[in-house]
Amino acid sequence: MFFTRFEFNPARRGAKHLLASPHRLHAAVLAAFPGEHSPVTKDGGRVLWRLDHPAHRALLYIVSPAQPDLTHLVEEAGWPTTHTWDTRDYTPLLGRLAATDTYAFRLTANPTFSRAQPEGRGKRLGHVTVNQQLGWFLARTERHGFTIPPVAADGEKEPDATILSRTVHKFTRHGRTVTLATATYGGTLEVTDPDALCAALTRGIGPAKGYGCGLLTLAPAT
Amino acid sequence: MSVLLLRLAAPLQSWGTSSRFTRRTTDRAPSKSGIIGLLAAAAGRRRTDSIEDLATLRFGVRLDQPGHVERDFHTARPIDGSAPLPLSYRFYLADAVFLAVVEGEEQFLTTLHEALRRPVFPLYLGRRSCPPSGPLTLGVRNQTLEDALAGTPWQASPRIQQKHRAATVTLDTAVDAPLGEQAQDVSYLVQDEPVTFAPEHRQHAWRTVIAGQVTLPNPDYMPTSAVGDHDPMALFGAS
């Protein structure tokens, strides 16, 4: 597995075009892998990506089974001569994960629930309130191999996870409007099951993985 | 010295101190004449009654939630439409919350507190069309004006407090200069010290106000490691 970071030059027209639509950005990310028709490989790894906006920058993170070539993105929407992209081998890091390790994490996800329909299968709807979205995330930590350790706030212990931003994305795909309610989570996690966490890191969490949701990233705990 | 604490919150407030003719402006903070008038109305005093005892109270205000200025283009006219009134601009502070403090004798402040709970005349925040939302008075405390401004919890609405991500909040204050103290470089003059509210010869004297700031804890602050910068590349070490 490979972990890649690419920075957009937000002043360029190509960047504006890509950043405006997760549909176009998804196509641009998959174009980094030659001959890759299905984003899911045999061992279950797949291409995941996420867009972060720290302090007016636009950072694209990609986790992928194969090494990406982002030349087209750099030429269209980056800094071609000074600042290209940074790809690292993710496998050693995934192998180092051990129970009781703590990391800072960040995740942009599409929290959803199903409402039963009179016929056929249920209709998938997005969670939109902070409480629903945080509850959706906290209900999934166990199966993905980690827990959120509590932190004391005013004497009460609360999980050290918070919603950093919430957005409802609307964009056009094949002439129809796609609506996605996304939430960005951040905080501290403690590893309980390294294998399950590896699976979550490489296969993603929740729906809408093609549209920049589901990629969990770790950073040193502060 | 004791203080009487007032929480001034309303959809609209308007505190003019220099309005003339058809442009009825508002200040960014409540005026002393507005608060003295509010207390006088609660106590049931008429406009011609003496307000000397009220005017001796020392006054200070804290801008807990600054709100924003709204302009109203006012085209009111008599119901028969005969004599058109002059068109006027009226300015309001929307969605603002203030902590107003008056300092004086405990006995006097207690009667004013009771009067605010059972007002004789209707109470409003600067203009008759701006009724307060929620209880006005927070009670009488045994402390000085400065301690009250620095020690009373943040009064902003819950939504504003939740949106404020930092552990502390810094609020502007405007306080009467203590008697006999020389003017400081942070002070300014406002003509809102009421002498009389009598309609035939309403009078306001000049008042020296000291601008300051207080820093309070944010009750909705939740410590979390998530807000800082997130750098996944840091785990990979040097390239």
Side-chain angles (χ1 to χ4, degrees):
Chain A
M1 298 301 292
F2 293 90
F3 191 93
T4 305
R5 179 173 66 182
F6 166 75
E7 181 163 6
F8 281 98
N9 178 352
R12 295 187 66 175
R13 176 178 287 183
K16 288 175 187 172
H17 181 74
L18 288 171
L19 295 176
S21 159
H23 180 53
R24 292 197 284 257
L25 193 49
H26 174 62
V29 168
L30 285 199
F33 304 96
E36 187 96 356
H37 293 297
S38 160
V40 184
T41 59
K42 283 186 199 114
D43 62 348
R46 60 171 292 163
V47 177
L48 295 168
W49 58 272
R50 185 180 81 216
L51 204 54
D52 272 12
H53 294 281
H56 309 293
R57 297 159 73 198
L59 297 176
L60 174 69
Y61 293 107
I62 302 174
V63 166
S64 52
Q67 194 165 352
D69 183 344
L70 298 181
T71 312
H72 63 300
L73 272 183
V74 176
E75 284 172 352
E76 272 174 51
W79 284 273
T81 59
T82 54
H83 199 81
T84 55
W85 73 92
D86 191 3
T87 296
R88 306 293 183 88
D89 191 354
Y90 208 7
T91 319
L93 178 62
L94 295 176
R96 268 208 314 276
L97 295 176
T100 73
D101 283 356
T102 59
Y103 294 96
F105 73 90
R106 195 154 293 187
L107 165 74
T108 297
N110 170 222
T112 56
F113 64 102
S114 273
R115 178 176 292 160
Q117 296 291 300
E119 304 177 1
R121 59 184 197 173
K123 184 173 182 168
R124 189 191 268 179
L125 300 166
H127 282 308
V128 287
T129 72
V130 167
N131 280 344
Q132 290 169 343
Q133 292 181 335
L134 201 56
W136 178 92
F137 173 69
L138 293 175
R140 271 156 186 78
T141 59
E142 203 65 39
R143 79 177 75 149
H144 291 305
F146 61 91
T147 58
I148 307 295
V151 67
D154 283 337
E156 283 176 53
K157 293 231 163 177
E158 296 189 10
D160 187 10
T162 187
I163 291 189
L164 301 167
S165 65
R166 302 183 295 144
T167 319
V168 176
H169 289 285
K170 285 196 178 181
F171 53 92
T172 310
R173 175 184 182 268
H174 299 325
R176 305 178 69 162
T177 302
V178 179
T179 307
L180 283 184
T182 66
T184 301
Y185 306 89
T188 309
L189 63 78
E190 185 179 325
V191 184
T192 53
D193 179 353
D195 292 338
L197 181 57
C198 272
L201 287 168
T202 53
R203 284 169 224 174
I205 295 174
K209 297 188 190 81
Y211 295 131
C213 294
L215 170 57
L216 178 70
T217 56
L218 304 180
T222 44
Chain B
M1 275 297 175
S2 296
V3 288
L4 172 63
L5 304 175
L6 304 176
R7 181 178 187 268
L8 309 173
L12 291 177
Q13 315 186 20
S14 188
W15 306 98
T17 56
S18 57
S19 300
R20 294 287 180 273
F21 310 117
T22 59
R23 194 176 170 85
R24 314 305 295 182
T25 55
T26 176
D27 291 359
R28 298 307 297 253
S31 60
K32 184 169 188 179
S33 56
I35 300 300
I36 299 289
L38 181 90
L39 296 173
R45 299 194 197 185
R46 308 206 150 259
R47 285 183 175 269
T48 47
D49 292 349
S50 163
I51 51 162
E52 268 176 41
D53 51 345
L54 289 168
T56 61
L57 296 170
R58 216 173 133 231
F59 173 67
V61 64
R62 192 176 79 193
L63 282 64
D64 281 32
Q65 182 179 323
H68 60 271
V69 175
E70 289 282 352
R71 187 186 65 173
D72 174 31
F73 180 50
H74 199 91
T75 58
R77 40 166 59 216
I79 197 158
D80 60 358
S82 54
L85 293 168
L87 301 175
S88 64
Y89 289 105
R90 283 147 205 255
F91 292 80
Y92 297 86
L93 282 179
D95 200 24
V97 181
F98 303 102
L99 177 74
V101 184
V102 287
E103 187 185 63
E105 293 299 325
E106 184 173 7
Q107 187 67 42
F108 184 38
L109 293 180
T110 309
T111 52
L112 288 177
H113 169 70
E114 288 304 319
L116 283 169
R117 285 163 51 82
R118 295 174 194 76
V120 177
F121 296 116
L123 303 180
Y124 48 86
L125 304 185
R127 211 173 263 160
R128 185 70 177 85
S129 57
C130 305
S133 61
L136 266 178
T137 173
L138 299 176
V140 178
R141 308 253 177 86
N142 247 323
Q143 53 188 165
T144 65
L145 181 61
E146 279 75 13
D147 290 347
L149 289 177
T152 309
W154 194 21
Q155 299 292 323
S157 65
R159 204 179 74 86
I160 295 291
Q161 295 192 356
Q162 280 158 18
K163 277 178 75 176
H164 189 82
R165 280 267 168 83
T168 59
V169 60
T170 301
L171 305 171
D172 290 334
T173 59
V175 185
D176 273 358
L179 276 178
E181 193 159 301
Q182 283 302 308
Q184 306 173 12
D185 48 354
V186 287
S187 65
Y188 53 92
L189 288 171
V190 187
Q191 193 180 13
D192 69 344
E193 178 90 45
V195 178
T196 168
F197 287 127
E200 301 83 37
H201 51 94
R202 199 190 293 190
Q203 269 183 49
H204 295 95
W206 290 91
R207 174 171 79 102
T208 308
V209 179
I210 297 174
Q213 284 190 327
V214 293
T215 300
L216 298 173
N218 174 15
D220 270 321
Y221 175 65
M222 244 210 334
T224 168
S225 55
V227 183
D229 257 5
H230 181 79
D231 182 16
M233 284 295 168
L235 275 185
F236 293 93
S239 52

